[in-house]
Amino acid sequence: MEVPTNKKLPGMSQHNAPVARRLEAVRYEIRGALARRAHELEADGREIVKLNIGNPGAFGFDTPPHLRAAVLGNLAASDAYAHQQGLAAAREAIAARERARGAAGADAANVFVGNGVSELIDLSLRALLDDGDEVLVPSPDYPLWTASTTLNGARAVHYPCHATAGFVPDPDEVEALVTPRTRALVVISPNNPSGAVYPRETLAALARVAARHRLVLMADEIYDEIVYDDAAYVPLASLAPDVLCLTYGGLSKVHRACGWRVGWVSLSGAIAQAREYRQALELLASMRLCSNVPAQHAIVPALNGDATIRALTSPGGRLFETRAAVIAACRRSEFLSLVPPRGAIYAFPGVDPRRVPGFDDARFALELLECESVLVTPGSGFNVPYRNHFRITLLPEPARVAEVFERIERVVGSMARSRQVA
Ligand code: PLP
């Protein structure tokens, strides 16, 4: 569970290649030591149920045929580098949708297409941050936000999203963390890992916090259309006409095309005051030339063609039914509690500390992998101060879920018994 550091270890040769010091505090546990151990076990012939990554294609979800046809049909026209911000038609479609959703001033000139939202998270933070700056990031978070903030010399200041409040943040608590060094407020709704979908009034209050303190709003809405029951996705940009708002979206989740690496960020709101920031983004985008061109051809059909995700998130749909199976399994459990996810493709169960005193999420995840061949991500990988949660994806078949939770119950049960004996 160690990451490489620059510190000289006993017995370490003088000639080892150095590692950048700025990586010392950078973490991305979703693909960390546990995932590497799972690969080793697989190489030894063990079948591992991998529930650590929200990778729809790995669970039999197909990218819709009209998106595939667009990529294949345009392959011959994709040999050259494209514009650093992305194909014009794709950017027009993204900006048009943002405007239709109420994002003031969204324009193709201020849209950047990237190799997934991942690349754009780093690029947009790099264009903003100086050493010692601060970024407000949810806790739990999608850990790339914290990692990228750290990598860019700044400090992620985590605002708590309490399980008791359905993992929805309290805007007053967020505002109390603002300092003169705060530059941006990151909002992830629908949320990974908690599945929270923030209500309109919470989003509006967060937008007001950003306006009062002149913060850049960074709205990670990659799960925008993945909502369950009566949960409603509200675009943050529609509530933030007077601050610079960056809205991130992409094809990875809603369109099940993770491997194609297509994401975008669209600027809206106080764009007039962001001329230099926009230029900085363009410089950084130019330095990586352009993003993957063939896959960009899927953006127009994805945004303007048939919506395909609703069938999966409605009763009878695969995501809906797996979510129901996870909720039911947690209700049956002697040890687990769950805030039912209202959006996205994850569940974030907690282990009752009274039933399992001293429960440690990393030790649990390792034991679950070694003894029961199930790979999950410990909650501490999502920058929370507590150690009694874990994240699983809602992507497996519903039938698989009951069996996985029996294995989880066995491991937690044996941890509970060993604690009582100790
Ligand atoms: N943002 C969130 C909240 C995510 O969960 C993910 C991936 O899981 C990403 C961004 C990155 O997505 P991609 O780089 O595939 O577009």
Side-chain angles (χ1 to χ4, degrees), residues 302-369:
L303 300 190
N304 298 342
D306 286 345
T308 54
I309 192 71
R310 204 66 206 139
L312 296 169
T313 56
S314 308
R318 167 91 170 261
L319 288 171
F320 182 93
E321 296 303 330
T322 299
R323 170 180 166 269
V326 170
I327 294 169
C330 289
R331 282 206 182 117
R332 276 196 306 272
S333 166
E334 233 184 284
F335 309 103
L336 302 178
S337 62
L338 178 72
V339 176
R342 292 171 54 71
I345 54 174
Y346 311 92
F348 198 55
V351 174
D352 184 343
R354 285 161 310 182
R355 310 299 305 256
V356 197
F359 178 89
D360 178 80
D361 58 356
R363 207 160 59 77
F364 156 72
L366 186 60
E367 226 159 290
L368 185 66
L369 176 61

